[in-house]
Amino acid sequence: MQPPSPTLVTASDVMAEIQRQFGAGSDAGLKIRVYGAPEGGEASAEAFREMLASLQMYDDRYRVGGGEEVLVEPPSRAALTRGLSVLGRVEHQKRVLDHILTTFGRRLIDPLAAILDTTPEGALTARLGTARDLLLAQIADLKLTPESQQILTTDIQKLLTPEYLAMVAEHEERVQRPQVKALAQQILRLLGATFRRALGRWPEHAEQIAAGISRRAPPRLRLQDVPGLLRSQVTKGVEEFLWVETSTEIEGALGPLFAAHRGLVAVRPPTLDRSVYREFAEACWTIIIEHC
């Protein structure tokens, strides 16, 4: 079984890029968040129980068997703007950028890792020697006449000398692979700078998105429909914003970047997947509901 491709960008690289984009030094207390950790607990459950008890005390519609649907007005444009403005705070933008660089960065950079195998440094010469020996064995299997086989094997041995193979290994390990890793870092910095600029423009777009949500919302809707409606509309708005603000710039920069390294990488620039932007929008929604 093929060993996994090496990771070209680590969590430390992502952290360094976020610190660079936000001007956070080593003493800023920035932590890389692990997504998917369980939330809630008995304290939050108790708070909901208290709220429900209060509603049942003052409104019959909240009592068991109340019969009437609870209809409410959707959040106002001002309330939506305040909620969306949460993403304008630097500490939350760091979380968003962390998520983007960790997930999106890996999707764009991991294809480069396929260029590199997991051969430990210094072992490539031995592997090249093994490849030469396999070639010589395959020549023997051709069942040529002894003279033809001798001519062919002698020429190969003259070309693929131990010194020659050591030179190729040295070039690969000391020149080519560091350049691939440097390209990976360039892509990471491109993503960091592009999304950082987009997030910097978020405050001026938050009110526009809120206005659109408010305009499309019905005048009254069932209470239980409010969370789903808000989540759908907010995530669509955030996804559209990030896609419009970044996708063209990133794709336009990746082409020349890969072209400049054509002799180094044989892979084409990866295309951007819109579904990944939906994932970013969901991460933004999580931050919004945590702080509203």
Side-chain angles (χ1 to χ4, degrees):
M1 188 169 75
Q2 260 323 84
S5 296
T7 298
L8 295 180
V9 174
T10 65
S12 297
D13 295 326
V14 170
M15 186 181 202
E17 177 62 17
I18 294 171
Q19 290 175 337
R20 189 182 73 84
Q21 290 295 334
F22 286 91
S26 59
D27 59 345
L30 176 63
K31 296 184 183 300
I32 300 299
R33 176 174 179 153
V34 178
Y35 288 84
E39 296 181 358
E42 182 57 31
S44 60
E46 181 60 28
F48 278 106
R49 282 195 289 268
E50 290 291 334
M51 180 186 70
L52 184 58
S54 178
L55 289 172
Q56 290 172 344
M57 182 181 301
Y58 295 104
D59 194 326
D60 291 342
R61 294 173 299 175
Y62 292 94
R63 295 176 185 169
V64 176
E68 289 186 57
E69 284 190 332
V70 179
L71 299 179
V72 297
E73 294 180 358
S76 66
R77 175 175 172 175
L80 289 169
T81 301
R82 285 196 300 273
L84 291 170
S85 296
V86 164
L87 296 180
R89 300 177 192 169
V90 170
E91 66 270 24
H92 301 323
Q93 289 191 359
K94 287 177 181 178
R95 285 180 57 186
V96 175
L97 192 58
D98 167 21
H99 189 75
I100 290 170
L101 293 179
T102 301
T103 59
F104 202 24
R106 290 290 302 275
R107 294 189 188 205
L108 291 181
I109 292 169
D110 278 359
L112 297 179
I115 300 171
L116 311 178
D117 60 24
T118 55
T119 304
E121 187 170 328
L124 190 55
T125 301
R127 291 193 62 181
L128 288 172
T130 299
R132 176 199 56 200
D133 295 341
L134 288 173
L135 176 60
L136 293 173
Q138 288 174 339
I139 291 172
D141 288 341
L142 293 175
K143 307 301 182 184
L144 301 174
T145 60
E147 183 176 347
S148 295
Q149 180 175 329
Q150 182 63 35
I151 292 172
L152 188 54
T153 55
T154 299
D155 286 344
I156 289 174
Q157 288 171 336
K158 286 180 181 179
L159 173 62
L160 303 181
T161 63
E163 293 76 18
Y164 178 82
L165 296 181
M167 181 273 295
V168 172
E170 174 78 9
H171 179 71
E172 176 70 11
E173 292 180 341
R174 304 298 184 207
V175 179
Q176 297 296 92
R177 293 188 180 195
Q179 289 182 6
V180 173
K181 293 177 181 177
L183 175 58
Q185 292 292 332
Q186 284 181 277
I187 295 174
L188 185 69
R189 296 192 69 153
L190 166 66
L191 294 177
T194 305
F195 276 97
R196 177 71 180 96
R197 285 193 295 272
L199 291 171
R201 294 189 288 269
W202 173 254
E204 62 194 71
H205 287 267
E207 188 170 357
Q208 297 176 21
I209 294 174
I213 296 173
S214 181
R215 186 172 57 251
R216 291 187 295 271
R220 293 179 71 79
L221 65 162
R222 297 188 307 167
L223 179 64
Q224 59 265 43
D225 293 339
V226 174
L229 174 68
L230 288 181
R231 178 171 186 163
S232 172
Q233 293 296 316
V234 168
T235 53
K236 283 180 182 177
V238 175
E239 175 193 335
E240 182 71 18
F241 165 77
L242 290 175
W243 175 260
V244 169
E245 293 291 323
T246 65
S247 61
T248 301
E249 182 176 351
I250 291 172
E251 287 187 323
L254 284 177
L257 191 58
F258 273 68
H261 295 82
R262 189 177 292 114
L264 183 66
V265 293
V267 296
R268 296 173 60 84
T271 56
L272 303 190
D273 187 350
R274 181 68 179 259
S275 66
V276 183
Y277 280 78
R278 286 194 287 276
E279 180 183 326
F280 302 156
E282 290 288 347
C284 290
W285 168 256
T286 299
I287 293 172
I288 290 171
I289 60 175
E290 283 179 0
H291 296 276
C292 287

